[in-house]
Amino acid sequence: MTIHKSRSTMNIKKTTICCFILLGFFLNACGNKPNDSSTSQSEKEQAKPKLKPATTNTPTQPLKPPITNLNIQDPLYKDQWHLKNTTGSLVSLKGGGQTRIDINVEPVWKLGYTGQGMKVGILDTLVQQSHPDLKDNLPLANVINYYSASPDALPICTDSKKSNAHGTRVAGIIASRDNSIGTRGISHRATLYSYGLFYDSQTDRWKYLEKLLNALQRSEHKKIAVYNGSISDARVNGSEMSMITTAKEKEVLNAFDKVTAEGFSGLGASLVFSAGNGAAQYLGSSANDDFLNHYATIAVNSVTQNGGVIPTKNLSSIQPAQRGGNLWLVAPFVLKTTDLAGACNPSGAYTDFGGTSSAAPVVSGVIALLREAYPNLTWRDVKLILAESAKKLATDSTHDLPWEPTGKMYSNSSKNQYYQRAMGFGLIDAGAAFELAKNWTLLPQMKTKTFENHTAFNTQNRDTIHSSILQVQNSQINFIESVTVDLEIERTDELKLLYWTLSLVSPDGKEGWIYRYLDEMIENVEIDKSMKNFKFSINAFLGNYTVNGAWKLKLQIKDDAGNKGEISQVKNWKLTIRGH
């Protein structure tokens, strides 16, 4: 998640001065908790997150002694290529050079960081607490089972695919213990919380919103460093190409606001969600998922051991992933991890786990390490550090969408940031994130500005590019961190769009795509007939400093039999810009 190089320390709003001297440590001022509203019609400045006592923006004091020899004894570590890839193909990087696809985590472990003391919430099926590789990091009291009075109830084996193992597999990627058995988690000493939201990840996941809301409202949300949701929002019949927003879903999104304001002792919990697997069927878009359109979410796509991301233009590659303008990172998938032990799986307690469901917990594990080492980073700092340290894999200009410039790097305004609609800002790199964090200056106070256009414009003519201008003035934002667009439309009851584009153009001409078709690459959406209001997040303006001026919304529906129904007009639209 540039030119703002006047990196002073945080402007803390002093309502109470709690100054003290403790063994020569630093003085800190207590501050107000951040409070941001995405629906504000006027500028709201989010109060600066308070620093924890006796901390500065350096690793935890005292520094942990470095480890020269990790001496990893977990027998399946050799199969965990996402941690250290020694056999995969070399993949070209944007701008030159090559890399193997892994997350470069061993340098972080050698600094002594293991996730110790970090609390990670797993929003999923119930994690098997008794699993020998998980039990030491998952106290029984941290298992919240919404389907049984017994928190230690064995997850139910619902089918031959053991769909109920989903949460257990996610947990192993994040925090299987360094205990000389099985696999090793990325943050292998983190403390897990398991929220068993549904029985079966294949058939029951679309009915869990009430339970998800309850999980996010529990008292421990103030302690959680990162929530992992390898799940999607409650779409029609579970389809990757459908879109519906219910009243309960809006309550969940409001809860997202709360955990980013109050979580992790007021610095904000990080929210990590998998981007979805629709591209494997050439369907869907990450824009269809309301969870991924929240301004705080880190949406994670998947990449193979040899650098494959999604179907390319000539359909030469099929990967379970999504395209979209709200993606943030890619991470490895098809990973060795924990599986249901005991009667559910007599053949063994480990398996290979794929899809974006396995990519998201990779990012969550890295965040736990980062927040252990730098405990005064806010959720915004974490998100931006991961974006600016990510590896940008080269694309094939013949087949793939290109990297597009978005703006400047916060950490170095002489460098440009780039975005790509399948990879977001690139492949997560734990070692590079730690290097960047060493000299990181905490982000200034966040500002939120909202601008509206209430002039309707007709859009029913096929193949025509329809557009509307919204003038932004006096934004007082010099570095964009997030952009969201709200639309209200008039439409036919049936609305299924395959070949269409929806985009936003900034005053300096940068175009951020919400939906885009390109030859065989289509981004489908089938919109529930009750929906007339939409919210989309667009990451293609990160670091942009040309905020004031004319922003243009563009919509085009191709004259194709695959498009059913029509959008007759956009009644009004709203632009919300967050940044500093």
Side-chain angles (χ1 to χ4, degrees), residues 418-438:
Y418 291 87
Y419 187 82
Q420 203 262 0
R421 284 179 57 75
M423 291 184 270
F425 296 104
L427 171 66
I428 188 169
D429 186 324
F434 266 66
E435 281 298 310
L436 184 59
K438 282 197 305 187

Side-chain angles (χ1 to χ4, degrees), residues 499-514:
Y499 300 95
W500 74 305
T501 60
L502 180 64
S503 65
L504 181 70
V505 182
S506 64
D508 63 350
K510 292 183 174 67
E511 188 162 14
W513 301 89
I514 301 170

Side-chain angles (χ1 to χ4, degrees), residues 52 117-123 142 144 191-195 215-216 218-228 259-260 262-271 367 371 379:
K52 294 182 179 180
M118 296 298 102
K119 295 175 172 58
V120 180
I122 298 177
L123 307 167
N142 291 6
I144 298 89
T191 299
L192 298 176
Y193 283 77
S194 169
Y195 301 98
L216 295 171
R218 290 175 57 89
S219 60
E220 67 263 18
H221 82 268
K222 295 183 179 181
K223 304 174 184 178
I224 299 288
V226 54
Y227 285 98
N228 186 91
V259 298
T260 54
E262 299 179 357
F264 201 57
S265 302
L267 299 178
S270 295
L271 294 170
I367 289 175
R371 302 199 87 167
W379 68 267

Side-chain angles (χ1 to χ4, degrees), residues 273-317:
F273 281 82
S274 52
N277 303 325
Q281 294 81 37
Y282 312 111
L283 301 173
S285 165
S286 63
N288 297 349
D289 192 325
D290 281 336
F291 292 173
L292 307 184
N293 284 318
H294 190 275
Y295 60 89
T297 298
I298 297 174
V300 185
N301 227 8
S302 56
V303 60
T304 70
Q305 185 175 7
N306 295 318
V309 182
I310 60 168
T312 54
K313 271 179 60 179
N314 65 352
L315 307 184
S316 62
S317 170

Side-chain angles (χ1 to χ4, degrees), residues 112-177:
Y113 296 108
T114 62
Q116 186 78 39
M118 296 298 102
K119 295 175 172 58
V120 180
I122 298 177
L123 307 167
D124 213 291
T125 63
L126 191 70
V127 177
Q128 187 178 29
Q129 191 275 337
S130 60
H131 195 291
D133 226 357
L134 298 172
K135 62 182 181 179
D136 290 337
N137 290 338
L138 179 58
L140 189 58
N142 291 6
V143 179
I144 298 89
N145 187 349
Y146 287 97
Y147 284 96
S148 170
S150 175
D152 59 341
L154 184 70
I156 297 172
C157 311
T158 54
D159 56 37
S160 61
K161 296 181 180 179
K162 292 179 285 296
S163 300
N164 196 240
H166 200 272
T168 300
R169 294 168 180 177
V170 166
I173 293 170
I174 298 171
S176 59
R177 188 80 167 190

Side-chain angles (χ1 to χ4, degrees), residues 1 57 118 225-226 264 267-272 296 298 328-329 363-390 410 428-429 433-434 436-437 440-443 481 542:
M1 250 226 244
N57 197 18
M118 296 298 102
V226 54
F264 201 57
L267 299 178
S270 295
L271 294 170
V272 179
I298 297 174
W328 201 257
L329 295 167
V363 174
S364 295
V366 172
I367 289 175
L369 295 175
L370 189 62
R371 302 199 87 167
E372 177 196 6
Y374 300 89
N376 52 346
L377 293 174
T378 69
W379 68 267
R380 294 166 56 218
D381 293 297
V382 169
K383 193 175 181 185
L384 194 52
I385 286 170
L386 294 180
E388 295 201 356
S389 60
Y410 170 74
I428 188 169
D429 186 324
F434 266 66
L436 184 59
W440 187 260
T441 300
L442 293 171
L443 283 164
E481 296 177 41
L542 180 67

Side-chain angles (χ1 to χ4, degrees), residues 175-483:
S176 59
R177 188 80 167 190
D178 54 329
N179 53 8
S180 301
I181 62 171
T183 58
R184 173 172 289 215
I186 295 165
S187 51
H188 40 270
R189 291 296 177 102
T191 299
L192 298 176
Y193 283 77
S194 169
Y195 301 98
L197 303 180
F198 37 80
Y199 275 137
D200 184 326
S201 66
Q202 300 300 314
T203 62
D204 196 46
R205 57 179 170 173
W206 318 110
K207 307 172 185 177
Y208 69 95
L209 288 177
E210 183 69 44
K211 303 173 184 65
L212 174 58
L213 181 62
N214 179 276
L216 295 171
Q217 292 175 336
R218 290 175 57 89
S219 60
E220 67 263 18
H221 82 268
K222 295 183 179 181
K223 304 174 184 178
I224 299 288
V226 54
Y227 285 98
N228 186 91
S230 289
I231 51 179
S232 28
D233 67 347
R235 290 172 282 180
V236 182
N237 299 320
S239 169
E240 299 276 3
M241 64 175 289
S242 66
M243 177 184 286
I244 183 172
T245 301
T246 64
K248 187 60 63 177
E249 195 162 42
K250 291 178 181 178
E251 289 186 58
V252 172
L253 295 173
N254 289 336
F256 283 9
D257 293 340
K258 186 173 182 179
V259 298
T260 54
E262 299 179 357
F264 201 57
S265 302
L267 299 178
S270 295
L271 294 170
V272 179
F273 281 82
S274 52
N277 303 325
Q281 294 81 37
Y282 312 111
L283 301 173
S285 165
S286 63
N288 297 349
D289 192 325
D290 281 336
F291 292 173
L292 307 184
N293 284 318
H294 190 275
Y295 60 89
T297 298
I298 297 174
V300 185
N301 227 8
S302 56
V303 60
T304 70
Q305 185 175 7
N306 295 318
V309 182
I310 60 168
T312 54
K313 271 179 60 179
N314 65 352
L315 307 184
S316 62
S317 170
I318 301 177
Q319 311 299 342
Q322 300 262 62
R323 287 172 295 272
N326 53 15
L327 301 175
W328 201 257
L329 295 167
V330 290
F333 85 116
V334 186
L335 313 179
K336 186 69 69 178
T337 185
T338 47
D339 200 6
L340 295 180
C344 278
N345 194 9
S347 62
Y350 299 88
T351 191
D352 292 322
F353 182 39
T356 57
S357 291
S358 63
V362 171
V363 174
S364 295
V366 172
I367 289 175
L369 295 175
L370 189 62
R371 302 199 87 167
E372 177 196 6
Y374 300 89
N376 52 346
L377 293 174
T378 69
W379 68 267
R380 294 166 56 218
D381 293 297
V382 169
K383 193 175 181 185
L384 194 52
I385 286 170
L386 294 180
E388 295 201 356
S389 60
K391 291 180 181 176
K392 290 175 170 49
L393 308 180
T395 59
D396 182 339
S397 61
T398 304
H399 300 145
D400 296 336
L401 296 173
W403 288 96
E404 301 281 1
T406 68
K408 299 294 184 181
M409 296 281 195
Y410 170 74
S411 58
N412 185 345
S413 62
S414 66
K415 293 184 178 180
N416 292 324
Q417 179 61 277
Y418 291 87
Y419 187 82
Q420 203 262 0
R421 284 179 57 75
M423 291 184 270
F425 296 104
L427 171 66
I428 188 169
D429 186 324
F434 266 66
E435 281 298 310
L436 184 59
K438 282 197 305 187
N439 298 308
W440 187 260
T441 300
L442 293 171
L443 283 164
Q445 179 175 323
M446 187 169 79
K447 300 176 182 179
T448 300
K449 289 282 283 195
T450 297
F451 304 88
E452 298 188 12
N453 184 328
H454 290 279
T455 302
F457 64 101
N458 294 328
T459 57
Q460 68 266 37
N461 293 333
R462 297 287 179 96
D463 285 337
T464 300
I465 299 176
H466 305 280
S467 64
S468 173
I469 298 293
L470 193 157
Q471 290 289 341
V472 170
Q473 297 177 347
N474 193 31
S475 68
Q476 300 178 14
I477 293 176
N478 298 314
F479 183 105
I480 292 177
E481 296 177 41
S482 75
V483 172

